[in-house]
Amino acid sequence: MQRVLVAIMGQSNEQGEGVVLDRTPSYGFPVRDPVGPMGTKRSAWPYLSELLGRRGTMTRFYNAAHGSSSIKAHWCGCVKTWASGTVYYGQLALSDGGIWRCNSAAGAYPIAANAPTGTSNTTGADAIPWVYLGVPESYEVDGYICRPGDANFDPLGYIDAANGAKYGLDNDIGTWDEKWLFISFGQQDTLTVHGPTSQADFFASIKIVTDYFLASGYKVAIGFTCYAADGTREARYQANLLPGLADALAYYAGNPNVCAGANWRTALGVLPVEPSSAQILTPALQDDVLHLNDAAYVLASEAWRDALVTAGWV
């Protein structure tokens, strides 16, 4: 039986937004929801642990996903020229000759009216706090996506925290045979405040993260999040993000350490929206039109199993 540490990068659906907590009943490494360190509700990972255990792979899941996060903006970091309007937690902004990081509440998208000025941390009349990061480097121009080695790469520490092998998980069931990273984004990168993320930027962000973890000894499975029933997100999936995903998979074609992960948008398809009373009966989105219900999480687990089988990893 191979023993694998699996780190999860994603948003709230990957973090877990179901209702009835799940657990691994029989096979594989014992795990139950909420799957830490970031999980708080039902997720896809306990049932996937069961499915992989049946195939001889023991998986220890390290759920580092963050709700309402963009791979480009929150994980890699993307520089923007400050402008009045919507800003977001962790935004890197150019203003008054400096570069700043928005320090509003995690997951918040406040409306900015006052540009940060000076050379120290500041909070404007709009009550939005900004952390002064110094004078920008010559490459830190509007639209630049940060890379490893850049001073402002990983502005919120999400990527560093996803490397579970750094945080005491190397030996809790003995030495790992392999370390895997699952990447699964989509919904937040469709938001206008992030551009929205273009095809080229989505590809670049996936590549930055993939190369970082390959260099850290991981194998990387590149997936995609689920359908969202609000129209705008779906249109931007089709125009920008799914083509960017295809570009990333084409770039790594033939690399045995990178595979296509579960594409929940394709595998689960266009999901209906069902009331909470149908949580267990019908695979669907919850009433918020964004989050998987419990029945859909079963399919989400199976989609990851199928992707890993296709790749020959299990």
Side-chain angles (χ1 to χ4, degrees), residues 252-265:
Y252 290 105
N255 186 328
N257 294 318
V258 181
C259 77
N263 182 334
W264 285 347
R265 171 59 187 86

Side-chain angles (χ1 to χ4, degrees), residues 152-229:
N152 293 307
F153 173 65
D154 189 17
L156 298 172
Y158 288 176
I159 291 176
D160 180 73
N163 189 351
K166 293 178 60 177
Y167 295 96
L169 295 182
D170 265 341
N171 298 299
D172 56 357
I173 63 167
T175 302
W176 303 106
D177 297 309
E178 294 186 338
K179 296 179 291 185
W180 298 348
L181 174 73
F182 290 0
I183 299 174
S184 182
F185 288 92
Q187 290 187 0
Q188 286 297 312
D189 280 282
T190 63
L191 298 187
T192 301
V193 70
H194 301 310
T197 300
S198 67
Q199 176 179 340
D201 283 354
F202 199 57
F203 164 58
S205 300
I206 292 171
K207 182 179 182 300
I208 288 167
V209 170
T210 299
D211 288 348
Y212 178 90
F213 277 88
L214 288 174
S216 299
Y218 282 75
K219 297 171 73 172
V220 180
I222 304 172
F224 193 82
T225 198
C226 67
Y227 173 73

Side-chain angles (χ1 to χ4, degrees), residues 122-149:
T122 185
T123 300
D126 55 11
I128 297 175
W130 293 91
V131 176
Y132 179 69
L133 301 174
V135 177
E137 300 291 341
S138 60
Y139 56 79
E140 291 181 313
V141 297
D142 185 66
Y144 178 76
I145 303 173
C146 299
R147 292 153 172 77

Side-chain angles (χ1 to χ4, degrees), residues 44-301:
W45 314 124
Y47 183 43
L48 180 56
S49 179
E50 165 84 8
L51 294 172
L52 298 183
R54 294 176 187 176
R55 299 187 64 87
T57 296
M58 178 174 285
T59 46
R60 169 68 155 87
F61 285 94
Y62 186 77
N63 188 353
H66 285 264
S68 300
S69 67
S70 152
I71 187 173
K72 178 180 80 170
H74 295 99
W75 292 75
C76 295
C78 182
V79 178
K80 298 179 64 176
T81 300
W82 184 93
S84 60
T86 304
V87 295
Y88 54 87
Y89 174 58
Q91 178 172 332
L92 299 174
L94 301 171
S95 177
D96 193 33
I99 186 167
W100 309 75
R101 185 182 71 242
C102 178
N103 203 33
S104 62
Y109 287 85
I111 304 300
N114 304 102
T117 60
T119 56
S120 60
N121 298 351
T122 185
T123 300
D126 55 11
I128 297 175
W130 293 91
V131 176
Y132 179 69
L133 301 174
V135 177
E137 300 291 341
S138 60
Y139 56 79
E140 291 181 313
V141 297
D142 185 66
Y144 178 76
I145 303 173
C146 299
R147 292 153 172 77
D150 294 347
N152 293 307
F153 173 65
D154 189 17
L156 298 172
Y158 288 176
I159 291 176
D160 180 73
N163 189 351
K166 293 178 60 177
Y167 295 96
L169 295 182
D170 265 341
N171 298 299
D172 56 357
I173 63 167
T175 302
W176 303 106
D177 297 309
E178 294 186 338
K179 296 179 291 185
W180 298 348
L181 174 73
F182 290 0
I183 299 174
S184 182
F185 288 92
Q187 290 187 0
Q188 286 297 312
D189 280 282
T190 63
L191 298 187
T192 301
V193 70
H194 301 310
T197 300
S198 67
Q199 176 179 340
D201 283 354
F202 199 57
F203 164 58
S205 300
I206 292 171
K207 182 179 182 300
I208 288 167
V209 170
T210 299
D211 288 348
Y212 178 90
F213 277 88
L214 288 174
S216 299
Y218 282 75
K219 297 171 73 172
V220 180
I222 304 172
F224 193 82
T225 198
C226 67
Y227 173 73
D230 68 350
T232 299
R233 283 182 169 87
E234 174 63 15
R236 291 173 177 171
Y237 280 5
Q238 300 299 331
N240 300 335
L241 302 191
L242 290 172
L245 172 68
D247 290 344
L249 294 175
Y251 178 84
Y252 290 105
N255 186 328
N257 294 318
V258 181
C259 77
N263 182 334
W264 285 347
R265 171 59 187 86
T266 300
L268 278 63
V270 175
L271 294 165
V273 177
E274 294 284 354
S276 57
S277 60
Q279 280 290 327
I280 300 175
L281 301 177
T282 305
L285 298 175
Q286 299 180 43
D287 290 342
D288 60 16
V289 309
L290 299 176
H291 294 115
L292 299 175
N293 71 2
D294 291 4
Y297 268 119
V298 173
L299 300 183
S301 303

